[in-house]
Amino acid sequence: MTLPPDLLYTSEHEWLRIEGEHATIGVTAFAAEALGDIVYVALPAVGQTVAAGTPCGELESTKSVSDLYSPVTGEVIEVNDDLAATPESIGTDPYAQGWLFRVRVEELGETLDAAAYADLTRAG
């Protein structure tokens, strides 16, 4: 599994890309593979405040429904509306087209760098 080294990761298998005061958030390839074929995505609404480490949405696959956790606290400023029609892009391109939402960051939750996240996925 190749992990983009410029991203941060969480133990709940989300990734985030920090760009100034904003963060783009998605789920890792590891999580997408574990979920299987993703068929529905419930994301937080634009304007909603999300809190680091708490559920803010759901990913439904042919196998199960999984909570989506926010890795940051802040206001949602954009969601990937394309996922309504193509939720499978989370599995096929999780670090680009499969992004989930963007947040104006107030506080960063607990994160891991790529090496630490790789160790976590090997251990788990």
Side-chain angles (χ1 to χ4, degrees), residues 23-24 43-47 75-81 99-104:
T24 302
L43 298 174
V46 171
E75 179 185 352
V76 176
I77 57 171
E78 186 178 3
V79 296
N80 187 348
D81 291 327
W99 68 276
L100 301 175
F101 60 100
R102 292 192 172 107
V103 175
R104 182 176 298 109

Side-chain angles (χ1 to χ4, degrees), residues 47-111:
Q48 179 179 337
T49 298
V50 293
T54 62
C56 63
E58 292 181 336
L59 301 176
E60 183 177 335
S61 72
T62 55
K63 294 181 182 180
S64 66
V65 175
S66 296
D67 284 332
L68 172 64
Y69 292 85
S70 179
V72 299
T73 297
E75 179 185 352
V76 176
I77 57 171
E78 186 178 3
V79 296
N80 187 348
D81 291 327
D82 294 341
L83 296 178
T86 59
E88 66 275 4
S89 62
I90 295 169
T92 59
D93 194 7
Y95 303 111
Q97 290 181 356
W99 68 276
L100 301 175
F101 60 100
R102 292 192 172 107
V103 175
R104 182 176 298 109
V105 179
E106 295 173 11
E107 184 178 336
L108 185 62
E110 292 185 33
T111 59

Side-chain angles (χ1 to χ4, degrees), residues 9-14 110-112 117 120:
Y9 301 88
T10 72
S11 59
E12 297 291 338
H13 308 290
E14 284 85 23
E110 292 185 33
T111 59
L112 308 165
Y117 181 72
L120 174 77

